[in-house]
Amino acid sequence: MNNAISNNVQSIEISGIRKFFNKVEKYPSAISLTLGQPDFKVPQRVKEAMIKAIIDGKTTYTPNAGIIELRLEISKYLKNMNICYSPKEVCVTVGGSEGLLSVFTALINTGDKVLIPTPAYPAYESCVKLVGGQVVNYNLNSEFGIDFHELKIILDRVKPKIFVLSFPSNPTGAVLSQIDKNKLINVFKERDIIIVSDEIYSALYFNESYNSIAQCEALLSKVILVSGFSKMFSMTGLRIGYVCAKEEYMKHIMKVHQYSVSCAPSIGQWGALEGLLSCNEDVEFMKIEFEKRRDFLYEKLIELGFECKLPKGAFYIFPSIKNFGMSSEEFCERLLSEAGVAIVPGTAFGVGGEDFIRISYSYSMAQLEDAINRMGNWIRHLK
Ligand code: PMP
């Protein structure tokens, strides 16, 4: 241990997704399907709103919680999805990332237990450890949904303070079904546990209706919703996310948010506002394109001998590589060095990711076709 550095910081590592992304630099002709960054342009109206905001001099600090116009629109947008938070219960953050860290910082005392799914987006575990919390994993079932039998046992045994829910999921593409939502409501209505629900991919789901635990008004006093616009408006670099929570949590989350960032970037906030007001069609277009890519990849992966679940949201597919007799790290290392395709080993998403790989289809169809051809040739010559 290095005494100069905090023990909590030393207990975490740089994300495995970035590690693999960085390796690609050594292979200039490789195709990278590693990042969760849509290849679509920011909607034209969002761009224009941001240019106007610059010209109008809207470059000062905004209120800590974000411009009221945006908080109002977020509240309305959520209302359309049957999620009821007032504008006062919304804080605009520097991406979902700052939202997550601010929430965990506000809630966690040293040693507090936090239940986190595995596999899952790696930031949950790292943020919890960073602020001294204790991570306890819960496994997902073979469909990447919640295993309720196991969940109830863990809840009774561990008695966590916080339960992290993550649908639509990065890395699996699974969504919350209506049945599972109802089961979750039954499990949590009796328990005194805070639910942190990360729904950053809520605009990208391919089934008919969207399910969120936050749609249950009776539970809303214990639900903290984290979301944002990086994926919805393809604006990852503009860094606008949000947190919704009832006043008793929000007033404390706001303190962390204020002292770490003051406010989210002003220009991006005006852009996100325009997105909510007028860019529904752009989001629908993107969704249809993602669905085509998903279908293409799913079919090809099955043809190549992968076991694979059809993703129902986000833009990731998470095939099993059990049939290939390699660890997920080895599979990805070899695929990169021998076939020139970079994807992320499932283990970057926790212990539950062993034997899986994550492929992001937030890349163009041409890149996906090229990558799948390379994979196919490589697999045919294996052994
Ligand atoms: N949650 C999940 C599940 C994610 O996949 C990401 C980004 N990949 C985030 C939160 C953070 O997103 P951002 O900070 O870009 O808004």
Side-chain angles (χ1 to χ4, degrees), residues 256-272:
V256 183
H257 170 74
Q258 182 192 344
Y259 287 117
S260 54
V261 297
S262 289
C263 63
S266 59
I267 299 304
Q269 291 190 52
W270 290 103

Side-chain angles (χ1 to χ4, degrees), residues 10 170 198 249:
Q10 289 190 77
N170 171 12
D198 177 358
Y249 298 120

